[in-house]
């Protein structure tokens, strides 16, 4: 990599901060649904589109040779070998309803936007409504900047599944949800409780910050977890799919090294 991780992290933090200010401002002004995507409840707001355009344009100024892969579809291939993976608003339904659990998620990876082969370099997740900016670079640890103060993040050391607080998420199609609900029947009786907060990137950051002991979801896309999975890993989490696979659409599981195999066993059941 010709560019240093520090430089990439500075750019990711700057752009995520600016984009967070934009979406928070649009939220205060009122949110408009622009269209629906996979199903009638999978919405995209005008702010999602505006934010992705903004992030894409800023990155094109700052890193013109890199590729771009965004949730709202403005993909481009670069020449540097680096790709920016962007979810302009993760937690769009929360954003629509004014629930302050949404984030701008920006990651940089070496290689294609495929979790099975990419090498993660940097990840930033900005929740402007909570004044929380999470960030990590490969090998550099994971941090939370809030109220002007920065703290390093570490996953919980919980070893007992029965005392684990575990989050999950659901897709937008009824068929997928029926399968996810079935899987949940194996997990719920075995853990302290379940959370469904509505933004995959923030669920991963919550594992990093010790606010959750684990998180799993099927059906997530690279932009949902590209940044959050690096932040969780850098805080000490194991992140992956089932049977030793990389995280991906079939499964994304994050927790400490003790609970990962326990939760995995229940997900395979
Ligand atoms: C969604 C959120 C949600 C998760 C869904 C994602 P979006 O992303 O991360 O928590 O359960 O799988 O699609 O649509 O708000 O960007």
């Amino acid at each position: 990599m010709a560019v240093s991780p520090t430089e990439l992290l500075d750019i990711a933090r700057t752009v995520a901060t600016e984009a967070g200010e934009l979406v928070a401002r649009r939220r205060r002004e009122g949110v408009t649904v622009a269209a629906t995507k996979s199903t009638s409840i999978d919405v995209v707001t005008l702010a999602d589109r505006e934010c992705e355009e903004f992030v894409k344009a800023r990155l094109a100024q700052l890193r013109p040779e890199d590729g771009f892969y965004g949730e709202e579809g403005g993909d481009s291939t670069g020449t540097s070998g680096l790709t920016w993976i962007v979810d302009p608003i993760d937690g769009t339904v929360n954003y629509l309803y004014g629930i302050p659990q949404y984030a701008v998620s920006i990651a940089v990876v070496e290689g294609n936007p495929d979790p099975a082969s990419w090498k993660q370099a940097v990840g930033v997740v900005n929740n402007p409504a909570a004044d929380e900016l999470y960030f990590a670079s490969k090998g550099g640890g994971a941090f939370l900047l809030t109220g002007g103060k920065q703290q390093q993040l570490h996953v919980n050391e919980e070893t007992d599944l029965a005392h684990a607080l575990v989050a999950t998420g659901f897709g937008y199609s009824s068929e997928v949800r029926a399968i996810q609900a079935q899987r949940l029947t194996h997990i719920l009786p075995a853990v302290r409780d379940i959370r469904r907060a509505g933004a995959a990137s923030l669920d991963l950051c919550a594992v990093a910050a010790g606010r959750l002991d684990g998180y799993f979801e099927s059906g997530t896309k690279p932009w949902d977890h590209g940044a959050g999975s690096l932040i969780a890993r850098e805080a000490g989490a194991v992140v992956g799919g089932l049977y030793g696979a990389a995280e991906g659409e079939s499964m994304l599981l994050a927790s400490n090294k003790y609970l990962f195999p326990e939760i995995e066993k229940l997900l395979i059941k």
Side-chain angles (χ1 to χ4, degrees):
M1 229 189 335
V3 55
S4 75
T6 315
E7 207 179 313
L8 289 174
L9 185 56
D10 280 350
I11 292 172
R13 282 182 54 171
T14 301
V15 177
T17 302
E18 293 170 357
E21 283 163 8
L22 171 66
V23 295
R25 189 164 69 246
R26 293 291 181 251
R27 176 60 239 173
R28 286 191 296 274
E29 290 165 1
V31 175
T32 313
V33 173
T36 57
K37 297 190 285 185
S38 58
T39 69
S40 64
I41 53 169
D42 182 7
V43 298
V44 55
T45 69
L46 286 178
D48 284 271
R49 287 183 176 167
E50 184 185 6
C51 182
E52 183 158 313
E53 281 308 310
F54 171 81
V55 171
K56 194 174 181 196
R58 285 292 276 133
L59 292 174
Q61 278 170 352
L62 297 164
R63 298 283 313 163
E65 286 164 10
D66 298 347
F68 183 89
Y69 188 71
E71 177 173 18
E72 307 315 333
D75 305 349
S76 62
T77 316
T79 54
S80 66
L82 294 172
T83 305
W84 293 81
I85 316 262
V86 173
D87 191 338
I89 303 178
D90 184 35
T92 303
V93 174
N94 286 342
Y95 185 73
L96 183 64
Y97 279 75
I99 298 169
Q101 180 76 0
Y102 59 85
V104 177
S105 172
I106 300 183
V108 194
V109 303
E110 278 184 74
N112 293 324
D114 175 1
S117 61
W118 70 27
K119 280 199 204 148
Q120 294 177 295
V122 158
V124 177
V125 174
N126 182 20
N127 176 351
D131 177 30
E132 292 188 334
L133 183 87
Y134 296 88
F135 59 93
S137 57
K138 179 87 176 85
F143 297 87
L144 166 61
L145 177 66
T146 183
K149 288 198 188 117
Q150 188 169 306
Q151 68 193 79
Q152 186 158 7
L153 301 177
H154 302 285
V155 291
N156 281 345
E157 289 293 302
E158 181 59 62
T159 57
D160 181 3
L161 186 61
H163 288 153
L165 185 63
V166 177
T168 190
F170 306 111
Y172 290 110
S173 98
S174 311
E175 292 75 21
V176 169
R177 284 182 177 184
I179 297 164
Q180 289 172 323
Q182 182 57 35
R183 196 177 280 132
L184 197 52
T185 64
H186 299 145
I187 304 282
L188 184 54
V191 298
R192 181 190 293 273
D193 207 346
I194 285 289
R195 294 288 179 270
R196 197 293 191 247
S201 60
L202 290 172
D203 287 330
L204 287 161
C205 291
V207 171
R211 295 177 185 173
L212 290 171
D213 297 304
Y215 160 68
F216 69 92
E217 183 168 349
S218 57
T220 55
K221 306 283 190 193
W223 48 76
D224 294 314
H225 58 79
S229 59
L230 179 64
I231 293 166
R233 282 192 170 102
E234 287 295 322
V238 179
V239 183
L242 303 179
Y243 305 106
E247 66 274 20
E249 277 201 60
S250 66
M251 185 52 69
L252 162 64
L253 169 59
S255 73
N256 69 30
K257 63 181 179 204
Y258 311 109
L259 296 174
F260 187 101
E262 302 291 316
I263 300 172
E264 183 186 24
K265 249 187 262 167
L266 295 174
L267 290 173
I268 285 169
K269 217 167 149 183

